[in-house]
Amino acid sequence: MKTAKVCSVTILCVLAATPLYASAEPGWQNRRQNPRYLLLQSMTTAKRYPISAVVIQRLAHVNDAEVEMKMEQDVFGRTRFTVWQPAHLSGLVSLDDGIYWYTYMPKHKRVIKQESPRIAQGNPAYQIYLANENYTWRREKGPDIASCPTVVVVASPKAKELPTRRYYLDSRTCLMLQVERVSSDGTKKVSYETRSLAYLKESPKLPVPGENDPEIQTRVVPTPERVGSPASASERVGFMPIVPETLPFGFIVRSIEIVGPPKDMLIAIRITDGLVTETVYQWKDSTSKRRGPFGSKAGTVAFKGIRMRLVGELPSGPAERILKSFVSRK
Amino acid sequence: MNCRNVQRKLSAYIDGELTGAEMMAIRSHLSRCPECAREERSIRAFKRLLGAMPCVEPPSGLEERLLGAIRREHKQSASWWPQIKWASVAACAAGLAMFAILTFVKRPGGEAVAADTAEFTVFDATRDQAYVAGSDPLSFGPLALPTGDENR
């Protein structure tokens, strides 16, 4: 009798819970399938998996130079890269522990220490929100990369001149495995790819390079200094930076920063559309007797005594249009 | 807004918990005041470090043991002396913790600002771009790697 009672109560409970489970399941699945959610995960939780990988990075700011590296990441999100190729960079170590960013250069027996760039990183959720204003999203099943099943988050720009961006994520962990840019004429550039990957059971130890070696010098490099407004920047650098009220392609000004050595300071205006960050450097034209901070005036424009240059990964057409918005300001 | 007010609200400022006007006022103050800007960077770095710490699973039975200890303590606390003893221990611990936190918080910002700028004579655009890449994992991929001959 007692057993029958227990059975009936159990059946009733199961029957009551089934619709709840059924109604909850699609919501959960939708979230997991939302490309923006996946991309957000890749920027947050995926940064805590202990991994060891071999990756290739093509550096947009150095003519797409290809660099092959061992990458290690621990549960605290600390990342360490050890360069294998090209030969002249072999042995270079970059460690970002979230507080400091260390770069060990074996040739010079020197460690460059700078505040971690992650401290300047914006809110990932806001970044995705901004990107959502400028891109449409699609989710595709991707090929296996480094033996991992992938999901591809495709971000197509609303401005057709900008490249489409394809992020290949490990479909189980959202770890970013490959990043591609596809320009409007169909040209594809792989800026980051993973050749092999191992998720580790134990978090790897990531020592600071050269920490206990007395022969290695450590040099501290100042961090770009954020300023609140063009006016406060002008007090420091001796000219009023040009900051347009609006920028094309949905870009916004992320920050105004002072960079460079104390005697030759520049203004760096970081602009972003959510997925791309570009920098417009500005300096006093009169100080460019020595061909300026970039060694050449090529690719620069001058306006009201200020010379400027846009640096980043945008194709030349959109880059020129953005730069024009700085000089056409009334 | 003076330095004292700003420093009192820095934590809330970093967490985005203030009103728009307060955020603007603090942002403007930070652009003018290197001392407060250093403090802001330190707190930001400290919060990031705390955020990176893993959640530790409490050992099984901890709750039971804690509750048992509290019950036993409650029964024994007929006199006022143990209460004072625990209060002083707690105060000492809090003081030590605060000292450790303040010492730690001072370090990162202080060192970063005290960079040997005298030696830093050349603007390195490559390093600056690597810095940008490191602050935006979606822009170039998840890596910041300088390749320039760092500040000869």
Side-chain angles (χ1 to χ4, degrees), chain A residues 43 47 57 69 76 81 92 94 99-101 103 105 108 110 112-115 117-119 121 127 165 167 219-220 223 228 232 254 260-261 270 275 277 279 281 294 311 313, chain B residues 31 41 44-45 48 51-52 54 107-108 111-112 115-117 119-121 123 125-132 134-140 142-147 149-151:
Chain A
M43 297 165 77
K47 296 278 179 193
Q57 173 97 18
M69 294 162 292
F76 302 108
F81 294 90
L92 190 148
S94 174
I99 305 291
Y100 289 115
W101 168 33
T103 315
M105 281 160 296
H108 301 82
R110 183 185 294 164
I112 303 290
K113 182 179 175 184
Q114 190 173 1
E115 208 171 86
R118 283 196 242 157
I119 292 174
Q121 190 179 324
Q127 203 176 337
R165 304 176 73 83
Y167 299 97
R219 179 174 291 183
V220 183
T223 305
S232 50
R254 191 181 92 176
R270 318 282 190 204
L275 298 187
T277 302
T279 304
Y281 293 102
F294 293 92
V311 179
E313 56 167 297
Chain B
S31 70
R41 276 201 298 275
R44 205 179 275 278
R48 194 168 283 273
R107 262 183 55 215
E111 258 184 53
D116 46 359
T117 48
E119 283 188 60
F120 181 60
T121 55
F123 169 63
T126 306
R127 184 168 187 91
D128 190 60
Q129 283 301 301
Y131 179 84
V132 174
S135 69
D136 179 2
L138 294 182
S139 185
F140 298 85
L143 167 68
L145 182 79
T147 56
D149 188 8
E150 309 296 315
N151 303 303

Coordinates of all heavy atoms in Angstrom, one line a residue, chain A residues 43 47 57 69 76 81 92 94 99-101 103 105 108 110 112-115 117-119 121 127 165 167 219-220 223 228 232 254 260-261 270 275 277 279 281 294 311 313, chain B residues 31 41 44-45 48 51-52 54 107-108 111-112 115-117 119-121 123 125-132 134-140 142-147 149-151:
Chain A
M43 N 34.9 35.7 -24.8 CA 35.6 36.8 -24.3 C 35.7 36.7 -22.7 O 36.5 37.4 -22.1 CB 35.0 38.1 -24.6 CG 35.0 38.4 -26.1 SD 33.8 39.8 -26.4 CE 34.7 41.2 -25.9
K47 N 38.2 32.3 -21.3 CA 39.5 32.8 -20.9 C 40.1 32.1 -19.6 O 41.1 32.5 -19.1 CB 39.5 34.3 -20.7 CG 39.1 35.1 -21.9 CD 40.3 35.3 -22.8 CE 40.0 36.1 -24.1 NZ 41.1 36.0 -25.0
Q57 N 49.5 33.6 -35.6 CA 48.9 34.9 -35.6 C 49.5 35.7 -36.7 O 50.7 35.7 -37.0 CB 49.3 35.6 -34.2 CG 48.9 37.1 -34.2 CD 47.5 37.2 -33.5 OE1 47.1 36.4 -32.7 NE2 46.9 38.4 -33.7
M69 N 53.4 30.4 -32.5 CA 53.7 30.4 -31.1 C 53.1 29.3 -30.3 O 52.1 28.7 -30.7 CB 53.1 31.7 -30.5 CG 53.7 33.0 -31.0 SD 52.6 34.3 -30.6 CE 51.3 34.0 -31.7
F76 N 43.4 31.4 -14.1 CA 43.2 32.8 -13.8 C 43.1 33.7 -15.0 O 43.0 34.9 -14.9 CB 44.4 33.3 -12.9 CG 44.6 32.5 -11.6 CD1 45.6 31.6 -11.5 CD2 43.7 32.6 -10.6 CE1 45.8 30.9 -10.3 CE2 43.8 31.9 -9.4 CZ 44.8 31.0 -9.3
F81 N 52.7 33.5 -24.3 CA 53.0 33.1 -25.6 C 54.5 33.0 -25.8 O 55.3 33.9 -25.3 CB 52.5 34.2 -26.6 CG 51.0 34.3 -26.7 CD1 50.4 35.2 -25.8 CD2 50.3 33.5 -27.6 CE1 49.0 35.3 -25.9 CE2 48.9 33.6 -27.6 CZ 48.3 34.5 -26.8
L92 N 61.0 34.8 -28.0 CA 60.4 35.9 -27.4 C 59.2 35.4 -26.6 O 58.4 34.6 -27.1 CB 59.9 36.9 -28.5 CG 59.4 38.3 -28.1 CD1 59.8 39.3 -29.2 CD2 57.9 38.3 -27.9
S94 N 55.8 36.5 -24.3 CA 54.8 37.5 -23.9 C 53.9 37.0 -22.8 O 53.3 36.0 -23.0 CB 54.1 38.0 -25.1 OG 53.0 38.9 -24.7
I99 N 47.6 42.1 -14.7 CA 48.0 43.3 -13.9 C 49.2 43.9 -14.7 O 49.2 45.1 -15.0 CB 48.6 42.9 -12.5 CG1 47.5 42.2 -11.7 CG2 49.0 44.2 -11.8 CD1 46.3 43.0 -11.4
Y100 N 50.1 43.0 -15.1 CA 51.3 43.5 -15.9 C 51.4 42.7 -17.2 O 51.0 41.5 -17.2 CB 52.6 43.4 -15.1 CG 52.7 44.4 -14.0 CD1 52.7 44.0 -12.7 CD2 52.7 45.8 -14.3 CE1 52.8 45.0 -11.7 CE2 52.8 46.7 -13.3 CZ 52.9 46.3 -12.0 OH 53.0 47.3 -11.0
W101 N 52.0 43.3 -18.1 CA 52.3 42.6 -19.4 C 53.8 42.6 -19.6 O 54.4 43.7 -19.6 CB 51.6 43.3 -20.5 CG 52.0 42.9 -21.9 CD1 52.3 41.7 -22.4 CD2 52.0 43.8 -23.1 NE1 52.6 41.8 -23.7 CE2 52.4 43.0 -24.1 CE3 51.7 45.2 -23.3 CZ2 52.5 43.5 -25.4 CZ3 51.8 45.7 -24.5 CH2 52.2 44.9 -25.6
T103 N 57.2 41.4 -21.6 CA 57.7 40.9 -22.9 C 59.2 40.6 -22.7 O 60.0 41.5 -22.4 CB 57.5 41.9 -24.0 OG1 56.2 42.4 -23.9 CG2 57.7 41.2 -25.4
M105 N 62.7 39.7 -24.3 CA 63.4 39.6 -25.6 C 64.7 39.0 -25.4 O 65.6 39.6 -24.8 CB 63.5 41.0 -26.2 CG 62.2 41.4 -26.9 SD 62.1 43.1 -27.1 CE 62.1 43.6 -25.4
H108 N 68.1 40.8 -26.5 CA 68.5 41.9 -25.8 C 68.7 41.6 -24.3 O 69.1 42.4 -23.5 CB 67.5 43.1 -25.9 CG 67.3 43.5 -27.3 ND1 66.5 42.9 -28.2 CD2 67.9 44.5 -28.0 CE1 66.6 43.5 -29.3 NE2 67.4 44.5 -29.3
R110 N 66.4 41.3 -22.1 CA 65.6 42.4 -21.5 C 64.2 42.0 -21.4 O 63.6 41.4 -22.3 CB 65.8 43.6 -22.3 CG 65.1 44.9 -21.8 CD 65.2 46.0 -22.7 NE 66.5 46.5 -22.9 CZ 66.9 47.3 -24.0 NH1 66.0 47.7 -24.8 NH2 68.1 47.7 -24.1
I112 N 60.5 43.8 -21.0 CA 59.7 45.1 -21.0 C 58.5 44.8 -20.2 O 57.7 43.9 -20.4 CB 59.3 45.5 -22.4 CG1 60.6 45.6 -23.3 CG2 58.5 46.8 -22.4 CD1 61.4 46.8 -23.0
K113 N 58.3 45.7 -19.2 CA 57.1 45.5 -18.3 C 56.2 46.7 -18.5 O 56.7 47.9 -18.4 CB 57.6 45.4 -16.9 CG 56.6 45.2 -15.8 CD 57.3 45.1 -14.4 CE 56.3 45.0 -13.3 NZ 57.0 45.1 -12.0
Q114 N 55.0 46.4 -18.7 CA 54.0 47.5 -18.9 C 52.7 47.0 -18.2 O 52.5 45.9 -18.0 CB 53.7 47.7 -20.4 CG 52.9 48.9 -20.7 CD 52.9 49.2 -22.2 OE1 53.4 48.4 -23.0 NE2 52.2 50.2 -22.6
E115 N 51.9 48.0 -17.9 CA 50.6 47.7 -17.3 C 49.8 46.8 -18.3 O 49.9 47.0 -19.5 CB 49.8 49.0 -17.0 CG 48.8 48.9 -15.9 CD 48.2 50.2 -15.6 OE1 47.2 50.6 -16.3 OE2 48.8 50.9 -14.7
P117 N 47.3 45.4 -20.8 CA 46.3 46.1 -21.7 C 44.9 45.7 -21.3 O 44.0 46.4 -21.6 CB 46.6 45.6 -23.1 CG 47.6 44.5 -23.0 CD 48.2 44.6 -21.6
R118 N 44.8 44.5 -20.6 CA 43.4 44.1 -20.2 C 42.8 45.1 -19.2 O 41.6 45.1 -19.0 CB 43.5 42.7 -19.6 CG 43.7 41.7 -20.7 CD 43.3 40.3 -20.1 NE 44.5 39.4 -20.2 CZ 44.7 38.4 -19.4 NH1 43.8 38.1 -18.5 NH2 45.7 37.6 -19.6
I119 N 43.6 45.8 -18.5 CA 43.1 46.8 -17.6 C 42.3 47.9 -18.3 O 41.3 48.4 -17.9 CB 44.2 47.5 -16.7 CG1 44.8 46.4 -15.8 CG2 43.7 48.7 -15.9 CD1 46.0 46.8 -15.0
Q121 N 40.8 47.2 -21.1 CA 39.7 46.6 -21.9 C 38.3 47.1 -21.4 O 38.1 47.2 -20.2 CB 39.8 45.1 -21.7 CG 38.9 44.3 -22.6 CD 39.1 42.8 -22.3 OE1 40.2 42.3 -22.0 NE2 38.0 42.0 -22.4
Q127 N 30.7 45.9 -25.5 CA 31.3 45.8 -26.8 C 30.4 45.0 -27.8 O 30.2 45.4 -28.9 CB 32.6 45.0 -26.6 CG 33.6 45.2 -27.7 CD 35.0 44.6 -27.5 OE1 35.3 44.3 -26.3 NE2 35.7 44.3 -28.5
R165 N 33.4 39.4 -40.5 CA 34.3 38.8 -39.6 C 33.7 37.4 -39.2 O 32.6 37.3 -38.9 CB 34.5 39.6 -38.4 CG 35.1 41.0 -38.7 CD 35.2 41.9 -37.5 NE 36.3 41.5 -36.7 CZ 37.5 41.9 -36.9 NH1 37.8 42.7 -38.0 NH2 38.5 41.5 -36.1
Y167 N 34.3 34.2 -36.6 CA 35.0 33.7 -35.4 C 34.7 32.2 -35.3 O 33.5 31.9 -35.1 CB 34.5 34.5 -34.2 CG 34.8 36.0 -34.2 CD1 33.8 36.9 -34.6 CD2 36.0 36.5 -33.9 CE1 34.0 38.2 -34.7 CE2 36.2 37.8 -33.9 CZ 35.2 38.7 -34.3 OH 35.5 40.1 -34.3
R219 N 62.7 46.7 -17.9 CA 62.5 48.1 -18.1 C 61.0 48.3 -18.1 O 60.2 47.6 -18.7 CB 63.0 48.5 -19.5 CG 62.8 49.9 -19.8 CD 63.4 50.3 -21.1 NE 64.9 50.3 -21.0 CZ 65.7 50.7 -22.0 NH1 65.2 51.0 -23.1 NH2 67.0 50.7 -21.8
V220 N 60.6 49.3 -17.3 CA 59.1 49.6 -17.2 C 58.8 50.7 -18.2 O 59.4 51.7 -18.3 CB 58.8 50.1 -15.8 CG1 57.3 50.3 -15.7 CG2 59.2 49.1 -14.8
T223 N 52.3 53.4 -19.4 CA 51.0 53.0 -20.1 C 50.4 54.2 -20.8 O 50.5 55.3 -20.2 CB 50.1 52.5 -19.0 OG1 50.7 51.5 -18.2 CG2 48.8 52.0 -19.5
G228 N 40.2 62.8 -20.1 CA 38.7 62.8 -20.1 C 38.2 63.6 -21.3 O 37.1 63.4 -21.7
S232 N 41.5 68.7 -21.8 CA 42.5 68.3 -20.8 C 43.8 67.7 -21.5 O 44.9 67.8 -21.0 CB 41.9 67.4 -19.8 OG 41.3 66.3 -20.4
R254 N 36.4 55.5 -28.4 CA 36.5 54.7 -27.2 C 37.3 55.4 -26.1 O 36.9 55.4 -24.9 CB 37.2 53.4 -27.5 CG 37.1 52.3 -26.4 CD 37.8 51.1 -26.8 NE 39.2 51.1 -26.3 CZ 40.0 50.1 -26.4 NH1 39.7 49.0 -27.0 NH2 41.3 50.2 -26.0
G260 N 53.6 58.0 -26.2 CA 54.9 58.5 -26.6 C 55.7 59.0 -25.5 O 55.3 59.2 -24.4
P261 N 57.0 59.3 -25.8 CA 57.9 59.8 -24.8 C 57.6 61.2 -24.3 O 56.9 62.0 -25.1 CB 59.3 59.8 -25.5 CG 59.0 59.9 -26.9 CD 57.6 59.2 -27.1
R270 N 41.4 56.3 -29.8 CA 41.0 54.9 -30.1 C 39.5 54.9 -30.5 O 38.7 55.4 -29.8 CB 41.1 54.0 -28.9 CG 42.4 54.2 -28.1 CD 43.6 53.6 -28.7 NE 44.7 53.6 -27.8 CZ 46.0 53.5 -28.1 NH1 46.3 53.5 -29.4 NH2 47.0 53.6 -27.2
L275 N 33.7 45.6 -33.0 CA 34.5 44.4 -33.3 C 35.9 44.8 -33.8 O 36.8 44.0 -33.9 CB 33.8 43.6 -34.4 CG 32.5 42.9 -34.1 CD1 32.0 42.0 -35.2 CD2 32.6 42.2 -32.7
T277 N 39.0 47.8 -33.5 CA 39.5 49.0 -32.8 C 40.6 49.6 -33.7 O 41.6 48.9 -34.0 CB 40.0 48.7 -31.4 OG1 38.9 48.1 -30.7 CG2 40.5 49.9 -30.7
T279 N 43.2 53.2 -34.4 CA 43.8 54.4 -33.6 C 44.1 55.5 -34.6 O 44.7 55.2 -35.7 CB 45.1 53.9 -32.9 OG1 44.8 52.8 -32.1 CG2 45.6 55.1 -32.1
Y281 N 46.3 58.6 -34.7 CA 47.4 59.3 -34.0 C 47.4 60.7 -34.5 O 47.3 61.0 -35.7 CB 48.8 58.6 -34.2 CG 48.9 57.2 -33.6 CD1 48.8 56.1 -34.4 CD2 49.2 57.1 -32.3 CE1 48.9 54.8 -33.9 CE2 49.3 55.8 -31.8 CZ 49.2 54.7 -32.6 OH 49.3 53.4 -32.0
F294 N 56.4 58.3 -37.2 CA 56.3 57.1 -38.0 C 57.4 57.0 -39.1 O 57.4 56.1 -39.9 CB 54.9 56.9 -38.7 CG 53.8 56.7 -37.7 CD1 53.1 57.8 -37.2 CD2 53.5 55.5 -37.3 CE1 52.1 57.6 -36.3 CE2 52.5 55.3 -36.4 CZ 51.8 56.4 -35.9
V311 N 45.8 54.0 -37.9 CA 46.5 52.8 -37.9 C 45.6 51.7 -37.4 O 44.9 51.9 -36.4 CB 47.8 52.8 -37.0 CG1 48.5 51.5 -36.9 CG2 48.7 53.9 -37.5
E313 N 43.4 47.8 -38.9 CA 43.3 46.7 -39.8 C 42.3 47.0 -40.9 O 42.0 46.1 -41.7 CB 42.9 45.4 -39.1 CG 41.7 45.6 -38.2 CD 41.1 44.3 -37.8 OE1 40.7 43.5 -38.6 OE2 41.1 44.1 -36.5
Chain B
S31 N 41.2 63.1 -15.3 CA 42.0 63.6 -16.4 C 42.9 64.7 -15.9 O 44.0 64.9 -16.5 CB 41.1 64.1 -17.5 OG 40.5 65.3 -17.1
R41 N 43.6 53.5 -11.3 CA 44.2 52.3 -12.0 C 44.5 51.2 -11.0 O 44.3 50.0 -11.3 CB 45.5 52.8 -12.7 CG 45.3 53.4 -14.0 CD 46.5 53.3 -14.9 NE 47.6 54.1 -14.3 CZ 47.8 55.4 -14.5 NH1 47.0 56.0 -15.2 NH2 48.8 56.0 -13.9
R44 N 41.2 49.5 -10.1 CA 40.8 48.7 -11.3 C 41.6 47.4 -11.4 O 41.0 46.3 -11.6 CB 41.0 49.5 -12.5 CG 40.0 49.2 -13.7 CD 40.3 50.1 -14.8 NE 39.6 51.3 -14.8 CZ 38.3 51.5 -15.1 NH1 37.6 50.4 -15.5 NH2 37.7 52.6 -15.0
A45 N 42.9 47.5 -11.2 CA 43.8 46.3 -11.3 C 43.4 45.3 -10.2 O 43.4 44.1 -10.4 CB 45.2 46.8 -11.2
R48 N 40.2 43.5 -10.9 CA 40.4 42.5 -11.9 C 41.1 41.3 -11.3 O 40.7 40.2 -11.6 CB 41.3 43.1 -13.0 CG 41.3 42.3 -14.3 CD 42.0 43.1 -15.4 NE 41.1 44.1 -15.9 CZ 40.2 43.9 -16.9 NH1 40.1 42.7 -17.4 NH2 39.4 44.9 -17.3
G51 N 38.6 39.4 -9.3 CA 37.6 38.8 -10.2 C 38.2 37.5 -10.9 O 37.5 36.6 -11.3
A52 N 39.6 37.5 -10.9 CA 40.2 36.3 -11.6 C 40.4 35.2 -10.6 O 40.8 34.1 -11.0 CB 41.6 36.8 -12.1
P54 N 39.7 32.0 -8.4 CA 38.7 30.9 -8.6 C 37.8 30.8 -7.3 O 38.2 31.2 -6.2 CB 39.6 29.7 -8.7 CG 40.8 30.0 -8.0 CD 41.0 31.5 -8.1
R107 N 50.8 49.1 -5.0 CA 51.9 48.6 -5.8 C 51.7 48.8 -7.3 O 52.5 49.6 -7.9 CB 52.2 47.2 -5.6 CG 53.4 47.0 -4.6 CD 53.7 45.6 -4.4 NE 54.0 44.9 -5.7 CZ 53.7 43.7 -5.9 NH1 53.1 43.0 -4.9 NH2 54.0 43.1 -7.0
P108 N 50.7 48.2 -8.0 CA 50.7 48.3 -9.4 C 50.7 49.6 -10.0 O 51.5 50.0 -10.8 CB 49.4 47.5 -9.7 CG 48.9 46.8 -8.5 CD 49.5 47.6 -7.4
E111 N 54.0 51.7 -9.5 CA 55.1 51.3 -10.3 C 54.9 51.7 -11.8 O 55.8 52.1 -12.4 CB 55.3 49.7 -10.3 CG 56.4 49.3 -9.3 CD 56.6 47.9 -9.4 OE1 56.8 47.3 -10.4 OE2 56.6 47.3 -8.3
A112 N 53.6 51.5 -12.2 CA 53.4 51.8 -13.6 C 53.7 53.3 -13.9 O 54.2 53.6 -14.9 CB 52.0 51.5 -14.0
A115 N 57.3 54.7 -14.2 CA 58.1 54.1 -15.2 C 59.3 55.0 -15.5 O 59.3 56.2 -15.4 CB 57.3 54.0 -16.5
D116 N 60.4 54.3 -15.9 CA 61.6 55.1 -16.2 C 61.5 55.8 -17.5 O 62.1 55.5 -18.5 CB 62.9 54.2 -16.1 CG 62.7 52.9 -16.9 OD1 61.6 52.8 -17.5 OD2 63.7 52.2 -17.0
T117 N 60.7 56.9 -17.4 CA 60.4 57.7 -18.6 C 61.6 58.3 -19.2 O 61.6 58.7 -20.4 CB 59.3 58.7 -18.3 OG1 59.7 59.4 -17.2 CG2 57.9 58.1 -18.1
E119 N 64.3 57.0 -19.9 CA 64.9 56.1 -20.9 C 64.0 55.9 -22.1 O 64.4 55.4 -23.1 CB 65.1 54.7 -20.2 CG 66.3 54.6 -19.3 CD 66.6 53.2 -18.9 OE1 66.8 52.4 -19.8 OE2 66.6 52.9 -17.7
F120 N 62.7 56.2 -21.9 CA 61.7 56.0 -22.9 C 61.7 57.2 -23.8 O 61.1 58.2 -23.6 CB 60.4 55.9 -22.2 CG 59.2 55.6 -23.1 CD1 59.2 54.5 -23.9 CD2 58.2 56.4 -23.1 CE1 58.2 54.2 -24.7 CE2 57.1 56.2 -24.0 CZ 57.1 55.1 -24.8
T121 N 62.4 57.1 -24.9 CA 62.7 58.3 -25.8 C 62.1 58.1 -27.2 O 62.0 59.1 -27.9 CB 64.2 58.5 -25.9 OG1 64.8 57.3 -26.4 CG2 64.8 58.9 -24.6
F123 N 58.8 56.7 -29.6 CA 57.5 56.2 -29.7 C 57.5 54.9 -30.5 O 58.0 54.9 -31.7 CB 56.5 57.3 -30.3 CG 55.2 56.7 -30.6 CD1 54.4 56.2 -29.6 CD2 54.7 56.6 -31.9 CE1 53.1 55.7 -29.9 CE2 53.5 56.1 -32.2 CZ 52.7 55.6 -31.2
A125 N 55.2 52.6 -32.3 CA 53.8 52.4 -32.8 C 53.4 50.9 -32.7 O 52.2 50.5 -32.5 CB 53.6 52.9 -34.2
T126 N 54.4 50.0 -33.0 CA 54.1 48.6 -33.0 C 53.7 48.1 -31.6 O 52.7 47.4 -31.5 CB 55.3 47.8 -33.5 OG1 55.8 48.3 -34.7 CG2 55.0 46.3 -33.6
R127 N 54.4 48.6 -30.6 CA 54.1 48.2 -29.3 C 52.7 48.8 -28.9 O 51.9 48.1 -28.2 CB 55.1 48.7 -28.3 CG 54.8 48.2 -26.9 CD 55.9 48.3 -25.9 NE 55.5 47.7 -24.7 CZ 55.8 46.4 -24.4 NH1 56.4 45.6 -25.2 NH2 55.3 45.9 -23.3
D128 N 52.5 50.0 -29.3 CA 51.2 50.6 -29.0 C 50.0 49.9 -29.6 O 49.0 49.7 -29.0 CB 51.2 52.1 -29.4 CG 50.0 52.9 -28.9 OD1 49.8 52.9 -27.6 OD2 49.1 53.3 -29.7
Q129 N 50.2 49.4 -30.8 CA 49.2 48.7 -31.5 C 49.0 47.3 -30.8 O 47.9 46.8 -30.7 CB 49.5 48.5 -33.0 CG 49.2 49.7 -33.8 CD 47.8 50.2 -33.7 OE1 46.8 49.4 -34.0 NE2 47.5 51.4 -33.2
A130 N 50.1 46.7 -30.4 CA 50.0 45.4 -29.7 C 49.2 45.7 -28.4 O 48.4 44.8 -27.9 CB 51.4 44.9 -29.4
Y131 N 49.4 46.8 -27.7 CA 48.7 47.1 -26.5 C 47.2 47.2 -26.8 O 46.4 46.7 -26.1 CB 49.2 48.5 -26.0 CG 48.6 49.0 -24.7 CD1 49.0 48.5 -23.5 CD2 47.5 49.9 -24.8 CE1 48.3 48.9 -22.3 CE2 46.9 50.3 -23.6 CZ 47.3 49.8 -22.4 OH 46.7 50.2 -21.3
V132 N 46.9 47.9 -27.9 CA 45.5 48.0 -28.3 C 44.9 46.6 -28.6 O 43.8 46.3 -28.1 CB 45.3 48.9 -29.6 CG1 43.9 48.9 -30.1 CG2 45.8 50.3 -29.3
G134 N 45.8 43.9 -27.3 CA 45.6 43.2 -26.0 C 44.4 43.7 -25.2 O 43.8 43.0 -24.3
S135 N 44.0 44.9 -25.5 CA 42.8 45.5 -24.8 C 41.5 45.2 -25.5 O 40.4 45.5 -25.0 CB 43.0 47.0 -24.6 OG 42.8 47.6 -25.8
D136 N 41.6 44.5 -26.7 CA 40.4 44.2 -27.4 C 40.5 42.9 -28.1 O 41.0 42.7 -29.2 CB 40.2 45.3 -28.5 CG 38.9 45.0 -29.3 OD1 38.2 44.0 -29.1 OD2 38.6 45.8 -30.3
P137 N 40.1 41.8 -27.4 CA 40.3 40.5 -27.9 C 39.6 40.2 -29.3 O 39.9 39.2 -29.9 CB 39.7 39.6 -26.8 CG 38.8 40.4 -26.0 CD 39.3 41.8 -26.2
L138 N 38.6 41.0 -29.6 CA 37.9 40.7 -30.9 C 38.5 41.4 -32.1 O 38.2 41.1 -33.2 CB 36.4 41.1 -30.8 CG 35.6 40.3 -29.8 CD1 34.2 40.8 -29.8 CD2 35.7 38.8 -30.1
S139 N 39.3 42.4 -31.8 CA 39.8 43.3 -32.9 C 40.8 42.5 -33.8 O 40.7 42.4 -35.0 CB 40.4 44.5 -32.4 OG 40.7 45.4 -33.4
F140 N 41.9 42.0 -33.2 CA 42.9 41.4 -34.0 C 43.0 39.9 -33.7 O 43.9 39.3 -34.2 CB 44.3 42.0 -33.6 CG 44.4 43.5 -33.9 CD1 43.9 44.4 -33.0 CD2 44.9 44.0 -35.1 CE1 44.0 45.8 -33.2 CE2 45.0 45.3 -35.3 CZ 44.6 46.2 -34.4
P142 N 43.0 37.1 -30.1 CA 43.2 37.2 -28.7 C 44.7 37.4 -28.3 O 45.1 36.8 -27.3 CB 42.6 35.9 -28.2 CG 42.8 35.0 -29.3 CD 42.9 35.8 -30.6
L143 N 45.5 38.1 -29.0 CA 46.9 38.1 -28.6 C 47.5 39.5 -28.7 O 47.2 40.3 -29.6 CB 47.7 37.2 -29.6 CG 49.2 37.3 -29.6 CD1 49.8 36.8 -28.3 CD2 49.7 36.6 -30.7
A144 N 48.4 39.9 -27.7 CA 49.2 41.1 -27.8 C 50.6 40.7 -27.9 O 51.1 40.1 -27.0 CB 48.9 42.0 -26.6
L145 N 51.2 41.0 -29.0 CA 52.6 40.6 -29.2 C 53.4 41.7 -29.9 O 53.2 42.0 -31.0 CB 52.7 39.3 -30.1 CG 54.1 38.8 -30.3 CD1 54.6 38.0 -29.0 CD2 54.2 37.9 -31.5
P146 N 54.3 42.3 -29.2 CA 55.1 43.3 -29.8 C 56.2 42.7 -30.7 O 56.7 41.6 -30.3 CB 55.7 44.1 -28.6 CG 55.8 43.1 -27.6 CD 54.7 42.1 -27.8
T147 N 56.6 43.4 -31.7 CA 57.7 42.8 -32.5 C 58.7 43.9 -32.8 O 59.7 43.6 -33.4 CB 57.1 42.4 -33.9 OG1 56.5 43.5 -34.5 CG2 56.2 41.2 -33.8
D149 N 61.7 46.7 -32.0 CA 62.9 46.6 -31.2 C 62.7 47.6 -30.0 O 62.9 48.8 -30.1 CB 64.1 47.1 -32.0 CG 65.4 46.8 -31.3 OD1 65.4 46.2 -30.2 OD2 66.5 47.3 -31.8
E150 N 62.2 47.1 -28.9 CA 61.6 47.9 -27.9 C 62.4 49.0 -27.4 O 63.4 48.8 -26.6 CB 61.2 47.0 -26.7 CG 60.5 45.8 -27.1 CD 59.1 46.1 -27.7 OE1 58.4 47.0 -27.2 OE2 58.8 45.5 -28.8
N151 N 62.1 50.2 -27.7 CA 62.6 51.4 -27.2 C 64.1 51.4 -27.0 O 64.7 51.6 -25.9 CB 62.0 51.7 -25.8 CG 60.5 51.8 -25.9 OD1 60.0 52.6 -26.7 ND2 59.8 50.9 -25.2

